[in-house]
Every structure is written in structure tokens, then in C-alpha cells.
Amino acid sequence: MPQADEAEKFIYVKLGRIDSLTWSDAEVVVFDCPCALRHMYHNNGALNLPDSISQEDNQPLTDGGTSESPPTDKCTLCMNTVKEVYAVYEANKSHSDLRDAVLALCNFYRKYNEVVCAGVINVHLDMIIYFAEHANNDTITRRFCSLYLPPGSCEFEDEWVVNVDLGTKPDVITPSVPSILNESAVIVHVSDLHYDPTYTLGNNAVCDAPTCCKEDQGRPTSPSDGAGYWGDYRNCDSPLQLVNNTLQHIKQHHQKIDYVYFTGDFVYHGMWESTKEQHTQIITSIVRAFNETFQDTPVFFALGNHEPIQANAYAPLDVDTNVSTKWLFELVSELWSPYITEDAKQTILQGGFYTVKPRDGFRVIVLNNIVCLNNNYWLAYDSRDPYNQLKWLAETLLLSEREGDKVHILYHVPTGMNNQWGSCLKIWGREFHKIVDRFENIVAAHFTGHTHYDEFHVFYSTENASRANGVSFNGGSGTPFIDVNPNYKTYTVDPASWNVVDSDMWIFNLTDANSKPEQNPDWFKLYSFRDEYRVANLLPAQLDSLAHRMAANHTLLQEYYRFYVKNADPSLAKGCDDACLKERLCEIVTVESGDLSKCEQLDKEFDLVPNKH
């Protein structure tokens, strides 16, 4: 490769400078350059490619530009680059040539250091080859770029609906709970533990890799940049002692627990060193720790985006090669067996989703909704209700309606999410919303994870957007990654309706805990939702009203931000300005990615406040 300044000059002269794109945190950057990849490597000696795949100046790269006059829209730039990558492989089917080409791009753009680039490409190479051999056409390439690029750069060219008879929707029954509960159920919600078995006390917490504090990253020059005993606010995942202490504290301080929900992400963010053996070990150890801690208390697990070897990548079932995800489904179908039925095992094997009835009148449905995450590039290959999961969901809810069940739905990714952690495919979110709207009388609550923040979301009727008819609660994270305190949550639930009456957030301050490594962290209840926000319960109408109160009361909204980041020192130091506060409001009322109708209404209410904060 040329030196950095020479390379930048080459790109500017030959291709025209382009704005940097938005990357996924769990995927190698190989597609931001509209370069004539074969031409650049041939002329600069980065690869010794055959003359048959080199190009002369001004020869068309692909449709949409030449090496002197490149296309300007990001979608075409991305598609051209994907085709160039495929062409390197098509020349002689050489795995090593393809690897070297993609590695050169990763190093050229310095997304990660050379070690991470090489590792990520090794982990993903078989997946790239599969796409080159089975999905090398304009339609799939365009879909890939639409998933990869920022919203609005490329339209995702696919349209489908879930083909299932939902029956006639019964008259809506407004949910309610008694003002005083004679009895209650308690649910503990844990999410996103991200256990890192290579976490090393004192090692570098400020590194140029996706996650730091690792065994092979060495000691920092400054001791202040060293990893803390109980974890670190910076790009570091959970040490074993943090995972164990979290579960032990829950068991010791909550005598009555009816169910435990875990909404995904057992595995840490080390996507450049992932192996099947490593992920198997991590998932197995975490599940066994839950089983040993809670014993006869049922634990219901959902899969997250970091469980596959290639992060985010849940392959279709007909992909039966070494990039298949079947090994993961087989693993968890056995590990989760103490709390699930044989029927549940079978649906896990078909896509990582299942349902159980822990008692009469109550059903738990667990989805694998990483199939909606835009960072799951298998959606370019097949996006149409992957695993037929939404059809199964609708049929399961129909059964629940006939049997008189109330339902909790668990999944990893909030369906309206659209931020640095990715977004849920608009079509999938729309179809999901239609289904849960149809069954609003029986779906009592949703439980999610992924973002690592303490947040809630309100669903609205598809026929009357002013009527709230569903609620979702995020479990936060057991890891402090990034700039948050570790947490878990407890919910007080009415066992007659399975509606959530209250929730408590439990945290410890990581700065304080790391200053006393010889002592256990000082866990404490950060707040009670009902007391803090002065709501009667956590039903949809109450939370919709709360969102409007926050728009009008910025002091209350700032308090929401404090809880959102779980009172973490670095996030509180950064603060949350008006734009940040509006984002928090928008997240609350968005359950379909890209649908900003409710956001616009709250924005106007926010702007009416004369003296902010």
C-alpha cells in the first residue's frame, strides 16, 4: 500500500473525496470507497493480480462512473465497491486474494488496527465468499448497501407481508390493575452481560480496538488508563467477577423471584477473535451460572446479536455451510432445556425462538429478532420473515387468545431503534407492529435489551395513533460498556393480568467500586419508576402521558436522562443538551424505524417551553 498521505492523494485525484460513512460497530469497513479496487491494487503493488482484472484510467468501473469521474451518490459508490471485491474473487476463486484485498481496504481506511482488521476479516471471510458465490447480483448488492449505509442513502428494495389469517380483532379492553395488589409476581430482568474471559485487571482500557482491557493488549503508559477490578466505563466488557457478583446480589437481596428474563448478549464485543469454541464456552458458563444461582426459579433466555461467530449474522436455514448458525440453535436448545418444553426446543432449532406457559393463563414468547437488525447482512440475501418467525408469532398469539392467556414478549433489539447500535428493518418492524396491535388485549408487555440504556417505549394503535396500546421495557446492561453503570431491574407484576405495576432499577457506581476492589460493590436501588415519575402504574396510557409531561418539563426529562445512563459518572459529565433530550423523547414513542410522526408532535411540545431546564 502507498503511505497514508500518498493514498489519500490517490483517492482524491482518481475518485474524488467523499464524506465518511457510518459504520456498524461489529463489521469490518470494506465498502466505503468507490475505488476501482482492482486498478488501485494493480498499479500500487498491494496485490499481484492478473492483468485480466486490472483497469486502465477512465475505463468504466461499473455502471455509474469512471476512475476519473466517479459516481457521487453513496449507494452507487457502495455497489461499485462490492462488485470490485467480488471481481477479485471471481478472477481465480482465490480465498487468499480476496482476503488480501479486503484486508488492504480495512487497513487503508484505518477503521481498526492491523491486528483487528486481519482478525475480523478471517472471521467473516467465509461469509463474504458465500455472498460472492451465491448472491452476486445487483438486487442483493443494493440491499446489502441499503443495510450498510446511513438511512436514506439506498432504498431497501423488498416488500412483503406476513401471510397469516389474524382473525377478527375483538373489542379493545382498556388494561387496568388494582390500586392495591393482594398478591404480586416479581420478575428480574438482566440483559447484555457481555462476559469477556480475557478481561485483565490493569491492562489498557484506552486502545484502538472495538473492545479493550484485554489480556493481550498490555499495560498502558498511564496507570489511569488501566482496567478497573469490577469493570471499566470505557470500551471494556464484563470481567467474571462482575458477572458472578451481579447474580449473587440478585439472589441474596430479592427473596421472592417468580421469573428471570435475560434478553440477550452473553458474549463480549471481540468480533475479531471469535470462534465457535469460545462462544460455546461463554454461553455455556453464563447459562450454568444462572441455573446454579436461581435453581428452581425459571429463567427465560433470548439470543442477542453477539452470540453468532460473525456478530449479528443469523444465516437462513438453507445455508448449510460453515457460516450456518445452526450450531448456536442446537447449543441453546440443550442449555435452556431445564425451563422449556420439547416443542420449544424444536422452534429454537428452526430459528432461535420459542414459547412456554410457566403457569395457567400466562405465556412467555421469546423471539430472535436479530433477523430485523440492519447489521445482519443475511437480510440482503433473504429478508422475508426469516425463519417464518412472525407467522409463528401470530399463530402463537391466536392460540393464546383462544386459551385466555396473557403474554410477555422477550426479544433483544427494540423495534424502533435507529442509532449507533443499528436499526430494525422497517418492513419487519411494521409487520411486527401489526401483529402485536391485533393482539393488544393479551400482550401485557415487551422486554428488550441491546442498547445498554434504561429506557421504555410506547406502542400506539395502528388505527388511532393517539391511543397508546403497548409498552416495552429495556433491561439496560450488566456491562458498563460504554459509559454506563452495570444494572439489573425488577418488575412488580399483577398476576391476574400480567401487567407491570412498577419497576425498580438496581445499580452500583463503578468509580466507587473500583476504588475499593477488595470489597463487593455497593448495589443500591437507583429509583422506583412509579414513585419517581408519579404514575399510577406502568400501563400504556400512563407512559404516554409521562412522555408528554417530559416534553413540557425539561427538568423531568433531564432526570430521565440521568436514569437512562444509569447515573454513570462519565455520561453525567457529558450532559444532555436539547438535541440529546429530543432524541430521548423520540426513542420513547418510536416502535417502527423511520416513523417519526410521534417524535414531531413531542418536538413541538418541547419547543413550547420558554425557560428550558
Side-chain angles (χ1 to χ4, degrees), residues 36-198:
L37 182 63
R38 295 165 284 170
H39 170 77
M40 184 175 77
Y41 289 159
H42 182 72
N43 284 354
N44 289 285
L47 289 175
N48 184 21
L49 299 182
D51 288 342
S52 61
I53 61 167
S54 66
Q55 291 184 322
E56 300 299 328
D57 286 354
N58 296 315
Q59 185 178 345
L61 301 174
T62 54
D63 292 342
T66 70
S67 61
E68 291 292 348
S69 179
T72 56
D73 69 282
K74 291 181 179 180
C75 189
T76 303
L77 301 178
C78 174
M79 291 181 66
N80 287 353
T81 305
V82 174
K83 292 174 183 178
E84 294 291 335
V85 169
Y86 288 163
V88 170
Y89 180 70
E90 288 295 327
N92 56 13
K93 306 294 184 183
S94 168
H95 292 202
S96 61
D97 279 359
L98 178 61
R99 180 190 179 280
D100 289 345
V102 179
L103 178 60
L105 279 175
C106 186
N107 288 331
F108 184 84
Y109 286 98
R110 297 186 294 278
K111 167 65 173 177
Y112 303 127
N113 63 44
E114 291 184 3
V115 172
V116 174
C117 275
V120 171
I121 291 161
N122 285 337
V123 169
H124 290 81
L125 186 63
D126 287 337
M127 183 176 170
I128 298 171
I129 290 170
Y130 190 95
F131 270 76
E133 292 180 342
H134 298 87
N136 187 359
N137 63 65
D138 283 353
T139 299
I140 293 179
T141 298
R142 184 179 183 86
R143 286 181 193 160
F144 174 90
C145 289
S146 71
L147 295 169
Y148 181 77
L149 292 171
S153 303
C154 247
E155 189 66 29
F156 191 90
E157 294 182 348
D158 199 8
E159 178 57 45
W160 50 270
V161 296
V162 178
N163 186 20
V164 62
D165 182 3
L166 296 176
T168 302
K169 183 175 180 176
D171 292 340
V172 172
I173 301 172
T174 302
S176 63
V177 294
S179 56
I180 299 176
L181 291 178
N182 293 323
E183 62 174 327
S184 63
V186 175
I187 295 171
V188 171
H189 188 180
V190 182
S191 196
D192 293 77
L193 284 172
H194 290 287
Y195 165 46
D196 183 356
T198 70

Side-chain angles (χ1 to χ4, degrees), residues 38 56 100 116 122 137 140 179 203 205 220 224 293 298 380 382 391 408 437 476-477 516 582 610:
R38 295 165 284 170
E56 300 299 328
D100 289 345
V116 174
N122 285 337
N137 63 65
I140 293 179
S179 56
N203 272 17
S224 64
T293 301
D382 180 13
K391 183 175 186 292
H408 285 176
D437 179 83
S477 65
K516 300 175 290 187
K582 285 185 175 183

Side-chain angles (χ1 to χ4, degrees), residues 193 240 243-244 247 283-295 301:
L193 284 172
L240 180 61
V243 175
N244 287 338
L247 299 183
I283 296 167
T284 300
S285 64
I286 296 296
V287 171
R288 287 178 177 170
F290 271 90
N291 293 348
E292 291 169 3
T293 301
F294 299 108
Q295 298 180 359
F301 298 96

Side-chain angles (χ1 to χ4, degrees), residues 506-563:
W506 288 80
I507 71 165
F508 67 83
N509 180 275
L510 188 59
T511 304
D512 177 69
N514 280 338
S515 71
K516 300 175 290 187
E518 71 284 354
Q519 300 178 22
N520 284 332
D522 182 18
W523 288 89
F524 63 95
K525 184 170 75 173
L526 180 61
Y527 74 100
S528 156
F529 197 107
R530 192 165 61 174
D531 292 345
E532 184 65 34
Y533 293 119
R534 300 185 183 279
V535 294
N537 49 57
L538 276 62
L539 294 177
Q542 289 283 305
L543 298 192
D544 171 58
S545 176
L546 174 60
H548 288 281
R549 283 198 285 124
M550 287 178 177
N553 182 343
H554 297 179
T555 300
L556 181 62
L557 188 53
Q558 284 284 358
E559 191 74 346
Y560 176 74
Y561 172 75
R562 182 168 74 88
F563 297 146

Side-chain angles (χ1 to χ4, degrees), residues 201-435:
L201 173 64
N203 272 17
N204 195 1
V206 182
C207 69
D208 56 354
T211 186
C212 306
C213 302
K214 298 174 64 58
E215 185 176 23
D216 61 357
Q217 290 170 333
R219 297 286 177 172
T221 303
S222 170
S224 64
D225 290 336
Y229 181 78
W230 293 105
D232 203 283
Y233 284 125
R234 291 161 289 195
N235 289 31
C236 303
D237 280 313
S238 298
L240 180 61
Q241 57 267 25
L242 172 56
V243 175
N244 287 338
N245 181 264
T246 301
L247 299 183
Q248 290 164 6
H249 181 271
I250 294 170
K251 180 66 174 178
Q252 292 170 3
H253 288 78
H254 302 279
Q255 301 305 311
K256 174 179 166 50
I257 301 174
D258 292 277
Y259 305 109
V260 178
Y261 294 166
F262 181 80
T263 48
D265 275 0
F266 302 82
V267 179
Y268 72 110
H269 294 84
M271 75 287 290
W272 72 96
E273 54 188 15
S274 299
T275 66
K276 178 180 176 181
E277 293 72 24
Q278 179 202 59
H279 285 220
T280 297
Q281 180 182 13
I282 291 172
I283 296 167
T284 300
S285 64
I286 296 296
V287 171
R288 287 178 177 170
F290 271 90
N291 293 348
E292 291 169 3
T293 301
F294 299 108
Q295 298 180 359
D296 294 334
T297 301
V299 183
F300 303 121
F301 298 96
L303 289 168
N305 59 303
H306 284 279
E307 273 66 271
I309 300 168
Q310 298 92 8
N312 312 303
Y314 283 86
L317 290 179
D318 63 0
V319 176
D320 198 16
T321 67
N322 55 348
V323 293
S324 169
T325 328
K326 291 179 182 177
W327 70 270
L328 177 58
F329 301 150
E330 292 167 358
L331 172 68
V332 298
S333 70
E334 293 301 322
L335 288 176
W336 299 347
S337 60
Y339 310 117
I340 63 175
T341 63
E342 285 300 317
D343 287 344
K345 284 187 180 182
Q346 293 308 307
T347 57
I348 290 172
L349 292 172
Q350 292 301 307
F353 54 91
Y354 64 98
T355 184
V356 291
K357 286 186 67 170
R359 65 173 81 177
D360 289 343
F362 177 49
R363 181 183 295 273
V364 176
I365 294 176
V366 181
L367 301 179
N368 170 17
N369 84 327
I370 314 307
V371 296
C372 85
L373 187 63
N374 70 315
N375 297 331
N376 178 12
Y377 296 124
W378 285 110
L379 292 176
Y381 182 78
D382 180 13
S383 74
R384 299 191 168 214
D385 191 14
Y387 309 134
N388 289 316
Q389 183 176 196
L390 289 177
K391 183 175 186 292
W392 171 87
L393 170 64
E395 292 169 345
T396 303
L397 288 171
L398 274 169
L399 174 64
S400 300
E401 187 175 68
R402 287 197 297 268
E403 295 184 350
D405 296 333
K406 298 297 183 180
V407 178
H408 285 176
I409 305 179
L410 282 58
Y411 46 93
H412 186 61
V413 178
T415 56
M417 183 189 71
N418 188 5
N419 55 30
Q420 71 268 34
W421 309 122
S423 62
C424 182
L425 193 65
K426 185 182 299 185
I427 303 169
W428 198 97
R430 179 196 68 196
E431 294 301 294
F432 175 77
H433 190 190
K434 285 162 57 176
I435 293 169

